[in-house]
Amino acid sequence: MRFIAKECVTQLCDSPGEENLLMHVPEGVKSQWHHIENLDLFFQRVYKLHQKNGFTCMLLGELFELIQLLFVVGFTLFLANCVDYDILFANKFVNHTNSSKVTLPDAFIPVDVCTARIRDNAFVMFVLLISGVFWLHRMVKFFYNVCCYWEIRSFYRNALKMSMSELPYATWQEVQARIVEIQKEHQICIHKKELSELDVYHRILRFKNYMVAMVNKSLLPVKFPLPVLGEYVFYTRGLKYNFELIFFWGPGSLFENEWSLKPEYKRGVNRHDLANKLASRILWIGIANLFLCPVILVWQILYAFFSYAEVIKREPGSLGARCWSLYGRCYLRHFNELDHELMSRLSKGYKAASKYMNCFLSPLLTVLAKNVAFFAGSMLAVLIAFTIYDEDVLAVEHVLSSITLLGVCITICRSFIPDEHMVFCPEQLLRVILAHIHYMPDHWQGNAHRSETRNQFSQLFQYKAVLILEELLSPVVTPIILIFCLRRKSLEIIDFFRNFTVEVVGVGDTCSFAQMDIRQHGHPAWMSEGKTEASIYQQAEDGKTELSLMHFAITNPHWQPPQETTHFLSQLKERVHREVAAGDTHHYSLSESEPRSLIANLLTGPSTLGSVHFARDASLANHAAAGLNDSASALRSLSPVSGSLSAVHKGHASSVSKAMAGSGTDARTVSSGSSAWEGQLTSLVLSEYASTEMSLHALYIHEFHKQQSRGELPRHTWHRQDSDESSESIPDEVRSEPPPRSRTLPRSYTFPTAAPSPSEIPKSASDTSTNTTGQEGTKSAADRRPDILGGGSKFVRTARVPMGGWADNNAAAPRYPEPLPEESSDDDLPPHIHKVT
Amino acid sequence: MWHCKPHNALRFCQTHFATPTARAMNCRSEVLEVTVEARQVEEAMLALLHTILLHRSTGKFHYKKEGTYSIGTVGTQDIDCDFIDFAFVRVSSEELDRVIRKAVAEFKDALSVSGSDGMGQISLEFYQKKKSRWPFADECIPWEVWSIKVNVVNLANEQERQICREKVGEKLGEKVINVVEVINRHEYLPKMPTQSEVDNVFDTSLKDVQPYLYKITYQITDSLGTSVSTTVRRLIKDTLAL
């Protein structure tokens, strides 16, 4: 009984004659890319190299960063210590024999004096020391990276057959398609014959998906009620780094290595012990943070210098006054969304977002700014006039500086004065923003003009100055947050990681949300009604699962989702298609008109102006379709490709958007065989369509959701805008109270169905061979009840939290039917093994 | 502990062919669990390790010109166990047997010395060497790991020992079938190397047989925590990574 590799199965004869021997030809190891040890790191590097536009660019970029750092530190040091400012400002006279001119070298302090000065100053030495360490760290990193990325470079060249010069012009999807292709030949991953796009994404985004899910479920303490400022979001790089240190890779973290959670955390038995352990670890890390505060501060400044240089390079919008906050990026990110996808989406929304924020200039400030600008402007004008008349005016002390200062003053004032021609249309702007950012809390819709909405939006889209200030404060605030806020959540964190980790064959442990399984994590209020079996604890908030799924399917048209998911996707696409088509005919039949999208009006021109359409009492279909039409036309302006499309289809706006949605659907649903499309369009164009299509779908899903949640409160739906505001703001509060639960259809609806009965679990699990910790999930939510809720009597819900999953959850917990008989029986078993293929 | 309910005590003898807690990411991993008496440990381990190695060895390669090679012969040998009603087949290579015996003996000693209620795990790891360029050492990348978890029981009387003898024999028979099933799946194996690369794939140090490169490690307690050194290594690696 011998079973050897097929190459040598051939039986050998033992005869001495050599010619009788069977000869074999070795295949040899043609490439070194088979069977890569750490695929996570490998794919991350492949992605990074792609994002950095190839090896040379990356190398040079990093090299210059090193030099920049040296220059910045050196130059600052020089300016601070080695310049005699008295001479420079001519307060002191230098005695030159031949000329009266002061030269630059005169102002320099001699080298020996200078070094002595530096040596005596402890603070300067401290800063220098840290910068030195920082620089050395970066240099070692640089050399390490050169070695690592050299290998990735040869992977690109030899295995993927892409030269570095064409890399900047290849989309990630192309690179990924090649990786998937070569897996068949090289077997990069040995567990599977074929690699799916999702596998690659899972590996690159393993921890990011966890973070997104934790923010989605409001697990991370990033929102704080402050006395004066109200609810304040504080989430900085330092804090993020600490979170990652605690959860993912620091000493004693929850993860054993990059791809697997420690086994003890997968079991529910001693979760209290583990929570205590985690709590004490957080405490220690917090204390360490506190002690290292000054070091971190200097480090932070140095780091900020580089990271912002990087941000400015990558983000076109970042030169403006505002930027997307770190929290916003986490909140708006889909599951399985790579950095560049997120950034391009957010950058597209940047213009609309800043326009929206500019709508809210305070009238008081405007009046003040107008007057300040007036006075400053007149003085400036006079000074300039004088200068033009006789330039000796400039030589008078402080005239040049006052001209400069007045100029700056006027520029600042001007930013507080709204544009004369600007129209206040926040609702439409918010819709355009939504088309790009894809997520927003329910109560924003219809409340776009309110300052609360604006304030909450500013949590996502903050002033850059505030961002930098927060970063600088971060070393002090981070330990406080860690010690006083995160530590209390340790049990929830332990539960989260246990309940929402699945092991995927060939990928390792990933966040179960990132599987984007509607059945496991769908939210009934977000189109997955009837398909989802998730309890409230398991549902992703804000329709994250659904939107992420849509997004992933659209960005990766070749991805073959599991059966049910395909069904969901095709259904949704068909619906969007149909609604858009239907919207066309329904325009005219409706009674009450809503302020139409001005942008849409402008863009679509007179052809649609006549169509006075949609109203409150319209059916869901009509409304959604109408909204879709609106935004579709709005979008056309934003996307150059669809703009050209509209030129082709000159005619009715809806027909255009119909064509858009329709053709997009075709291109993707027929994923493999859409030769006509792929032949004509490069993938770049296709991805352009993809983002438009995704926007359409996002708007549709939101519209659908809005309609559905509005259906819950029939008394308000018939009223106009004014009363509607109240109705919109109510649901969140209402939902938190148990009695009206029966009315709040989508959430309460799931209760009986959500917690699967024990008999059902094995069956459904075997159906798709996906086995999650669903049972544990519901159970733990139920048995966690006493810990957090204190008997389930009180639930404090911070009003109008957009995604308050937890408070809701606790309220819900008492109603859970116990899905599993006993804890002990389950917990003794080894951790569940999930085979997801 | 035995309580005349052998089927219950041997409950853990079921094989879990599952993806276990991954030690290495890109690596197949199989787990076998056995419950045996102290004196049976050595033979049971030998039986399983030899069974696996039998299927993961080839004859010696003899490379010819034009990049072809022929494969030498491999003899097999039946071994009867003393303490178990069981016989297994192994490659008839004394050298290989000596190496395995040595590892198993060490494991057995460590097991008997430790007081950790007779739990232990011995792993047979097949790996591939990958030449790295200068600053890095050669990497050993495992592609298949067999972990055999051993649970040692103490038996009260001779009658129980007799039952155990039979039961363990039966279970080992099942295991061998399982091993063969796993090996029969067409899964990743290193490609047949050329002459220069043969050392990266096969262990060529033995005269009469050529197994894939393997490594036997054991672990006595169930502590799977990461050691300090790995944590430090990872810290360094993580800070270096972009």
Side-chain angles (χ1 to χ4, degrees):
Chain A
M1 43 184 247
R2 296 218 50 197
F3 304 87
I4 315 179
K6 61 180 176 211
E7 284 88 359
C8 28
V9 162
T10 35
Q11 196 56 53
L12 305 173
C13 40
D14 210 2
S15 67
E18 279 219 348
E19 53 281 4
N20 290 346
L21 277 178
L22 254 170
M23 301 302 284
H24 302 263
V25 179
E27 296 167 78
V29 191
K30 280 183 218 119
S31 75
Q32 46 176 329
W33 307 116
H34 65 104
H35 182 205
I36 284 154
E37 193 182 14
N38 191 342
L39 271 177
D40 274 32
L41 211 57
F42 183 76
F43 284 146
Q44 274 164 20
R45 284 184 182 149
V46 169
Y47 177 65
K48 197 98 195 176
L49 195 65
H50 174 258
Q51 289 306 301
K52 297 265 182 180
N53 298 323
F55 187 74
T56 328
C57 290
M58 204 179 105
L59 192 81
L60 276 179
E62 284 196 23
L63 196 68
F64 281 125
E65 272 184 13
L66 277 179
I67 297 169
Q68 266 180 21
L69 180 67
L70 268 190
F71 175 77
V72 167
V73 172
F75 196 56
T76 319
L77 198 70
F78 173 77
L79 284 184
N81 291 296
C82 301
V83 176
D84 193 340
Y85 286 97
D86 282 341
I87 293 178
L88 200 66
F89 296 145
N91 295 339
K92 199 165 81 181
F93 287 103
V94 218
N95 293 328
H96 279 292
T97 43
N98 43 5
S99 92
S100 62
K101 287 227 186 258
V102 179
T103 55
L104 268 184
D106 290 336
F108 297 162
I109 293 170
V111 181
D112 47 337
V113 181
C114 187
T115 43
R117 226 169 152 185
I118 291 169
R119 219 171 277 150
D120 293 342
N121 193 335
F123 175 72
V124 172
M125 282 312 279
F126 172 72
V127 172
L128 264 186
L129 187 78
I130 295 174
S131 330
V133 172
F134 185 80
W135 193 80
L136 273 181
H137 168 248
R138 285 195 78 100
M139 197 178 69
V140 172
K141 199 166 154 177
F142 169 74
F143 282 112
Y144 181 77
N145 275 334
V146 169
C147 296
C148 294
Y149 283 92
W150 184 258
E151 222 149 281
I152 304 296
R153 176 182 171 270
S154 55
F155 174 73
Y156 266 108
R157 286 165 64 113
N158 303 333
L160 296 184
K161 307 264 186 293
M162 290 174 106
S163 72
M164 284 295 115
S165 56
E166 64 182 292
L167 198 57
Y169 312 106
T171 61
W172 170 249
Q173 259 59 36
E174 283 173 342
V175 174
Q176 190 174 263
R178 291 199 191 195
I179 293 176
V180 171
E181 192 59 38
I182 63 145
Q183 156 73 7
K184 290 172 194 152
E185 184 192 335
H186 293 272
Q187 281 223 305
I188 310 174
C189 171
I190 66 162
H191 288 283
K192 295 176 169 184
K193 280 261 160 9
E194 291 188 20
L195 213 58
S196 82
E197 286 87 350
L198 193 59
D199 291 348
V200 179
Y201 271 70
H202 272 329
R203 283 182 187 283
I204 298 175
L205 296 167
R206 194 187 300 271
F207 296 148
K208 288 210 171 114
N209 280 332
Y210 272 109
M211 292 302 271
V212 171
M214 279 195 277
V215 166
N216 184 258
K217 295 300 283 181
S218 311
L219 183 60
L220 293 180
V222 289
K223 290 189 171 184
F224 308 95
L226 289 185
V228 187
L229 297 165
E231 188 186 65
Y232 193 77
V233 171
F234 187 88
Y235 189 48
T236 57
R237 281 162 188 278
L239 194 57
K240 187 177 159 214
Y241 184 84
N242 272 294
F243 285 156
E244 285 169 354
L245 181 88
I246 289 165
F247 301 140
F248 303 127
W249 57 268
S253 63
L254 308 186
F255 272 73
E256 188 176 11
N257 42 38
E258 273 147 88
W259 54 87
S260 63
L261 196 64
K262 281 181 187 159
E264 61 259 35
Y265 290 96
K266 292 182 185 169
R267 281 170 233 193
V269 219
N270 40 10
R271 56 194 201 92
H272 286 282
D273 295 344
L274 292 173
N276 289 338
K277 219 171 98 187
L278 181 67
S280 68
R281 224 164 58 77
I282 292 171
L283 179 66
W284 284 115
I285 290 181
I287 290 171
N289 260 291
L290 206 58
F291 278 114
L292 293 176
C293 194
V295 181
I296 295 172
L297 188 68
V298 176
W299 193 279
Q300 191 102 48
I301 292 168
L302 290 170
Y303 192 80
F305 175 77
F306 283 105
S307 42
Y308 291 117
E310 168 110 338
V311 165
I312 286 172
K313 259 182 275 165
R314 277 200 309 198
E315 222 180 321
S318 64
L319 285 167
R322 286 178 176 272
C323 63
W324 297 98
S325 68
L326 198 60
Y327 169 74
R329 281 175 210 193
C330 228
Y331 170 68
L332 298 174
R333 195 174 194 141
H334 293 292
F335 294 122
N336 298 315
E337 185 175 31
L338 290 170
D339 290 342
H340 74 277
E341 292 163 358
L342 176 72
M343 284 331 294
S344 75
R345 191 155 76 77
L346 292 186
S347 302
K348 276 181 196 160
Y350 184 87
K351 225 177 186 172
S354 47
K355 238 184 198 166
Y356 174 74
M357 293 310 277
N358 287 340
C359 285
F360 288 90
L361 291 171
S362 138
L364 186 72
L365 267 179
T366 309
V367 173
L368 288 178
K370 268 183 181 161
N371 283 291
V372 171
F374 170 73
F375 291 117
S378 14
M379 279 191 273
L380 183 67
V382 170
L383 281 177
I384 289 175
F386 284 162
T387 316
I388 291 169
Y389 180 70
D390 188 348
E391 61 191 24
D392 283 341
V393 178
L394 284 179
V396 178
E397 198 177 25
H398 294 316
V399 165
L400 193 62
S401 46
S402 17
I403 288 181
T404 321
L405 275 182
L406 287 172
V408 170
C409 179
I410 289 171
T411 321
I412 293 173
C413 286
R414 205 182 269 162
S415 70
F416 288 106
I417 302 169
D419 186 2
E420 224 178 302
H421 308 289
M422 199 176 63
V423 183
F424 185 71
C425 50
E427 202 70 51
Q428 272 68 45
L429 276 172
L430 205 59
R431 175 166 273 164
V432 176
I433 296 170
L434 178 64
H436 293 300
I437 67 173
H438 302 171
Y439 292 101
M440 79 173 44
D442 295 344
H443 58 268
W444 285 9
Q445 290 211 357
N447 283 331
H449 57 285
R450 297 188 137 209
S451 66
E452 290 92 48
T453 310
R454 181 220 172 257
N455 288 343
Q456 285 178 4
F457 186 66
S458 74
Q459 294 174 350
L460 307 179
F461 193 62
Q462 62 185 168
Y463 277 117
K464 215 176 291 162
V466 175
L467 177 85
I468 292 168
L469 200 70
E470 279 181 0
E471 288 292 345
L472 292 180
L473 275 178
S474 157
V476 184
V477 181
T478 300
I480 296 170
I481 292 176
L482 289 181
I483 295 173
F484 295 107
C485 301
L486 187 67
R487 208 150 59 93
R488 262 183 294 165
K489 298 224 171 192
S490 57
L491 190 64
E492 282 174 56
I493 291 165
I494 296 284
D495 285 336
F496 178 89
F497 275 95
R498 187 181 67 250
N499 293 326
F500 297 123
T501 296
V502 284
E503 191 172 326
V504 183
V505 171
V507 180
D509 289 340
T510 54
C511 183
S512 65
F513 283 107
Q515 290 285 321
M516 303 181 296
D517 188 347
I518 298 293
R519 203 163 53 84
Q520 298 289 344
H521 296 296
H523 195 303
W526 291 90
M527 311 211 56
S528 52
E529 191 160 4
K531 297 182 196 76
T532 172
E533 289 169 10
S535 65
I536 286 199
Y537 178 56
Q538 290 168 319
Q539 287 161 6
E541 306 299 317
D542 301 307
K544 198 111 183 171
T545 318
E546 291 79 4
L547 282 162
S548 300
L549 178 64
M550 205 62 227
H551 178 260
F552 190 80
I554 286 174
T555 40
N556 295 283
H558 293 286
W559 176 57
Q560 268 158 7
Q563 192 62 44
E564 279 170 53
T565 313
T566 323
H567 185 65
F568 173 82
L569 284 173
S570 57
Q571 211 177 9
L572 178 60
K573 273 171 183 163
E574 191 202 337
R575 252 165 128 169
V576 172
H577 185 118
R578 204 179 53 227
E579 304 298 339
V580 172
D584 197 13
T585 51
H586 281 291
H587 282 176
Y588 308 93
S589 62
L590 305 170
S591 49
E592 215 177 6
S593 71
E594 200 181 51
R596 255 205 72 153
S597 159
L598 290 171
I599 303 168
N601 261 334
L602 283 168
L603 293 164
T604 48
S607 57
T608 43
L609 271 176
S611 60
V612 181
H613 62 85
F614 68 94
R616 295 277 153 192
D617 54 347
S619 73
L620 163 69
N622 302 338
H623 197 104
L628 210 59
N629 247 326
D630 247 8
S631 31
S633 39
L635 278 169
R636 277 188 314 130
S637 70
L638 303 167
S639 151
V641 178
S642 35
S644 68
L645 215 157
S646 81
V648 177
H649 288 268
K650 213 162 221 163
H652 210 273
S654 58
S655 76
V656 174
S657 53
K658 188 174 79 186
M660 247 161 67
S663 53
T665 318
D666 291 345
R668 260 145 267 279
T669 40
V670 200
S671 61
S672 53
S674 56
S675 55
W677 269 83
E678 263 152 64
Q680 284 166 8
L681 299 164
T682 66
S683 66
L684 211 63
V685 177
L686 206 65
S687 77
E688 193 63 43
Y689 274 103
S691 82
T692 314
E693 200 190 333
M694 183 58 213
S695 300
L696 276 175
H697 280 89
L699 286 169
Y700 178 78
I701 292 173
H702 271 275
E703 203 65 47
F704 189 95
H705 173 70
K706 187 167 126 198
Q707 291 295 312
Q708 221 175 26
S709 48
R710 199 167 280 163
E712 296 161 26
L713 299 148
R715 65 198 162 103
H716 283 303
T717 26
W718 298 89
H719 295 282
R720 281 281 306 150
Q721 198 85 15
D722 326 61
S723 56
D724 213 60
E725 284 151 25
S726 54
S727 87
E728 293 255 336
S729 54
I730 282 171
D732 266 29
E733 273 109 44
V734 169
R735 277 184 205 138
S736 62
E737 294 157 25
R741 192 158 278 287
S742 52
R743 260 195 315 147
T744 58
L745 179 77
R747 293 193 183 206
S748 58
Y749 193 38
T750 37
F751 271 164
T753 51
S757 66
S759 58
E760 262 175 27
I761 296 164
K763 195 187 73 188
S764 56
S766 62
D767 276 351
T768 48
S769 74
T770 317
N771 180 7
T772 49
T773 31
Q775 308 96 305
E776 269 186 47
T778 40
K779 184 187 67 222
S780 78
D783 69 353
R784 206 185 29 187
R785 185 197 328 146
D787 308 331
I788 298 161
L789 221 64
S793 55
K794 88 172 190 233
F795 12 81
V796 190
R797 183 177 164 88
T798 41
R800 307 257 227 111
V801 184
M803 48 251 139
W806 297 102
D808 231 10
N809 224 342
N810 299 331
R815 294 190 164 210
Y816 277 14
E818 281 292 326
L820 275 184
E822 283 303 310
E823 184 166 339
S824 57
S825 64
D826 182 52
D827 286 330
D828 286 348
L829 293 174
H832 291 275
I833 303 303
H834 315 285
K835 295 221 175 211
V836 185
T837 42
Chain B
M1 228 175 155
W2 193 242
H3 294 315
C4 292
K5 275 164 83 185
H7 59 278
N8 221 356
L10 288 176
R11 185 167 59 113
F12 291 111
C13 280
Q14 302 147 6
T15 322
H16 297 279
F17 285 103
T19 49
T21 54
R23 296 154 52 112
M25 172 165 26
N26 208 354
C27 166
R28 271 198 308 276
S29 192
E30 315 287 348
V31 182
L32 307 165
E33 283 190 33
V34 285
T35 306
V36 291
E37 215 193 332
R39 57 185 183 147
Q40 294 169 328
V41 170
E42 191 163 10
E43 279 177 336
M45 292 303 100
L46 278 178
L48 291 176
L49 293 178
H50 266 306
T51 307
I52 299 163
L53 273 169
L54 170 70
H55 301 295
R56 290 280 180 239
S57 308
T58 66
K60 295 289 278 182
F61 283 7
H62 302 286
Y63 283 92
K64 312 276 180 232
K65 54 200 174 300
E66 301 133 26
T68 59
Y69 64 92
S70 62
I71 303 176
T73 53
V74 180
T76 55
Q77 203 175 355
D78 278 17
I79 304 293
D80 286 318
C81 300
D82 293 333
F83 301 108
I84 312 172
D85 283 349
F86 187 65
F88 62 91
V89 188
R90 68 168 171 82
V91 174
S92 67
S93 158
E94 289 310 317
E95 274 180 284
L96 184 66
D97 187 46
R98 214 176 302 133
V99 177
I100 306 288
R101 265 181 200 285
K102 193 168 155 255
V104 170
E106 271 175 36
F107 172 65
K108 199 189 83 179
D109 292 343
L111 201 61
S112 59
V113 168
S114 81
S116 65
D117 31 288
M119 291 280 281
Q121 175 178 325
I122 190 162
S123 330
L124 175 59
E125 177 182 307
F126 291 100
Y127 65 93
Q128 230 176 329
K129 270 195 239 166
K130 199 176 253 183
K131 289 262 183 292
S132 297
R133 273 166 315 98
W134 161 71
F136 306 104
D138 280 3
E139 289 175 281
C140 294
I141 306 173
W143 49 272
E144 190 174 65
V145 177
W146 294 83
S147 308
I148 307 169
K149 290 189 174 161
V150 188
N151 192 15
V152 181
V153 291
N154 293 312
L155 299 183
N157 54 44
E158 198 51 46
Q159 192 201 353
E160 283 180 3
R161 288 208 178 104
Q162 202 52 44
I163 299 170
C164 182
R165 202 183 148 89
E166 288 167 24
K167 284 287 173 190
V168 171
E170 266 173 45
K171 287 294 168 189
L172 283 180
E174 281 174 26
K175 295 274 129 68
V176 169
I177 301 290
N178 282 333
V179 170
V180 171
E181 271 170 10
V182 169
I183 288 190
N184 253 350
R185 287 189 219 141
H186 280 293
E187 281 183 300
Y188 175 85
L189 281 177
K191 300 231 168 81
M192 286 302 136
T194 52
Q195 189 160 12
S196 54
E197 288 161 340
V198 73
D199 285 332
N200 293 345
V201 177
F202 289 105
D203 179 359
T204 48
S205 60
L206 305 175
K207 274 203 304 294
D208 39 7
V209 70
Q210 182 179 284
Y212 282 101
L213 282 171
Y214 66 94
K215 197 156 59 181
I216 299 177
T217 50
Y218 61 85
Q219 204 176 9
I220 297 304
T221 43
D222 209 23
S223 66
L224 283 162
T226 41
S227 66
V228 181
S229 69
T230 52
T231 315
V232 170
R233 206 181 317 142
R234 269 191 40 232
L235 255 176
I236 293 170
K237 259 199 167 172
D238 281 328
T239 45
L240 284 181
L242 251 182

